[in-house]
Amino acid sequence: MAKTKTAFFCQNCGTQYAKWVGQCSACKQWNTVVEEVVQKEEKVNWKLPSQTSKRVSKPLFVNEISIEKEIRLNTFDLEFNRVLGGGLVPGALVLLGGEPGVGKSTLLLQIALKLPYKTLYVSGEESQKQIKMRADRIYPNSETCLILTETKTQNIFKQIEATEPDIVVIDSIQTLHSDYIESAAGSISQIRECTAELIKFAKETNTPVILIGHITKDGSIAGPKILEHMVDTVLQFEGDRNYVYRILRSLKNRFGSTAELGIYEMQGSGLREVNNPSEVLISKNDDGLSGTAIASTVEGMRPLLIEIQALVSTAVYGTPQRSTTGYNAKRLNMLLAVLEKRAGFKLGAKDVFLNITGGISVDDPAIDLAVVAAILSSNEDIPIDKGTCFAAEVGLAGEIRPVQRIEQRILEAEKLGYTTIIVSKNNKIGLKSTKIKILLASKIEEVARNLFSI
């Protein structure tokens, strides 16, 4: 058998070295030299299905390629299925990242316990007793989920060969290590090598593998960027530990849309799927409070109504503060400049604070008009009618611009009992029999006169 050989390569320019060095002598970059496998020991780590045979691929014309309907495994979690694009694809590698303590392990353990397929849950971070305690709280009587506490990939593949699971969950990729690499677990070379072994296993056995990945302090997934290129799907699990709601987003998906959104509520018994997030994200406060506006937004195929809160006050210090939570701060500055220049509202000497309730982040430009309305409401200290919502983009000239899928937004607002929605007059609306009143506006001044008689 050929012995495993490794070498050191610069990740920036590709220069090869016999041993590790701190600075690459070719490109002068620091800490870019990592160990990589050049030749592996010839060894089979798992048993291939009897029907799988090695064959050489040959090129085909596009019109000769047959298309069959994609088979997906139902995870029995509507939110997870939605974000994946309909379920797990056999042979796919899914990477789930998120903040520490946000609920990544809880989400995947909950899914693994409820699946009717044989699932192997591999943990390198917790003992079997710790996982059992959490499983008893979430779903105590699972008969299909196997728990393995192991960090060495060669031992994991031996157990996979013995149990032949339908789905494999790895918690987490940063804790695994391979005998082929001498560096510590969590290093760039170990992460890449372990992921490559799992990809080969997934593709050759048609078994879906879900990986949990740690993130760095700036929010990106720890390890080499190539990790995200290697896998089929990258999911981000977001949420503040001070809030009970969690957001599941797709950053990359080879088998579906990246615009879909899943929402969960953290409870003592695990994560509960939130099927109607609009009711959750809007407070039930009946008192008329200034600085609050409702926006109709769309995430993927799902329309949502979100609550936007603004607070405008006189600046105590010399430089006014501009602070946002869940909204782009640069876009807020742009909207304030539009209000100052185009609509004549003097906000240059005032502090402006903006918050999207529920702890979610939204970048849909259709919430611009609601942001403007909330700011003006707080500035004038006049509450907006609680039956009014908004769906329009604001341009630099102060014009109200149309947004896509306006009919879905209107129907969602009507379903939740809103009586009026303000949209751009340039939107083409084909709805004929709606109970909700649709107000068309072309300028910010029109909206301000309508809402506050100013």
Side-chain angles (χ1 to χ4, degrees), residues 277-293:
S278 297
E279 294 181 0
V280 169
L281 299 172
I282 297 173
S283 65
K284 305 296 187 292
N285 196 341
D286 293 330
D287 300 331
L289 300 174
S290 63
T292 300

Side-chain angles (χ1 to χ4, degrees), residues 172-193:
S172 65
I173 187 62
Q174 277 81 12
T175 62
L176 299 191
H177 69 276
S178 171
D179 282 345
Y180 299 137
I181 300 288
E182 292 182 1
S183 57
S187 62
I188 291 174
S189 50
Q190 282 285 11
I191 291 174
R192 180 163 41 195
E193 175 62 23

Side-chain angles (χ1 to χ4, degrees), residues 17 119 148 161 179 215 240 252 271 302 310 340 436 454:
Y17 295 91
T119 307
L148 172 67
E161 181 182 343
D179 282 345
I215 65 168
D240 192 326
K252 169 193 174 181
L271 290 156
R302 168 190 278 186
E340 184 101 17
I436 190 170
I454 52 176

Side-chain angles (χ1 to χ4, degrees), residues 9-69:
F9 294 88
C10 174
Q11 299 299 290
N12 190 51
C13 65
T15 306
Q16 182 176 348
Y17 295 91
K19 61 180 182 179
W20 184 84
V21 293
Q23 184 186 34
C24 176
S25 59
C27 64
K28 306 301 180 185
Q29 294 294 314
W30 288 91
N31 298 320
T32 57
V33 178
V34 298
E35 186 184 19
E36 293 183 14
V37 174
V38 178
Q39 183 180 2
K40 287 186 183 179
E41 185 181 346
E42 293 176 2
K43 179 177 171 183
V44 177
N45 285 323
W46 59 85
K47 192 185 294 179
L48 295 177
S50 57
Q51 68 269 23
T52 304
S53 60
K54 290 189 176 180
R55 62 182 185 276
V56 179
S57 297
K58 64 176 183 177
L60 293 173
F61 290 105
V62 174
N63 58 1
E64 293 178 347
I65 301 172
S66 62
I67 299 176
E68 296 178 1
K69 190 175 181 183

Side-chain angles (χ1 to χ4, degrees), residues 294 305 385-390 410 412-422 434-439:
I294 305 299
L305 263 70
D385 178 55
K386 63 182 181 181
T388 301
C389 61
F390 305 85
I410 293 170
E412 178 71 8
E414 183 181 30
K415 185 176 78 174
L416 291 175
Y418 287 87
T419 55
T420 306
I421 184 168
I422 300 178
T434 54
K435 296 179 182 177
I436 190 170
K437 183 181 179 183
I438 302 171
L439 293 181

Side-chain angles (χ1 to χ4, degrees), residues 183-218:
S183 57
S187 62
I188 291 174
S189 50
Q190 282 285 11
I191 291 174
R192 180 163 41 195
E193 175 62 23
C194 294
T195 306
E197 290 180 17
L198 288 166
I199 287 175
K200 190 178 181 196
F201 158 73
K203 302 304 179 188
E204 291 187 4
T205 63
N206 231 20
T207 304
V209 178
I210 307 175
L211 309 176
I212 291 179
H214 298 166
I215 65 168
T216 58
K217 63 181 180 181
D218 64 349

Side-chain angles (χ1 to χ4, degrees), residues 397-418:
E399 80 276 20
I400 309 298
R401 300 176 63 84
V403 293
Q404 60 178 350
R405 294 166 62 186
I406 189 65
E407 294 180 1
Q408 271 186 281
R409 301 173 195 264
I410 293 170
L411 291 174
E412 178 71 8
E414 183 181 30
K415 185 176 78 174
L416 291 175
Y418 287 87

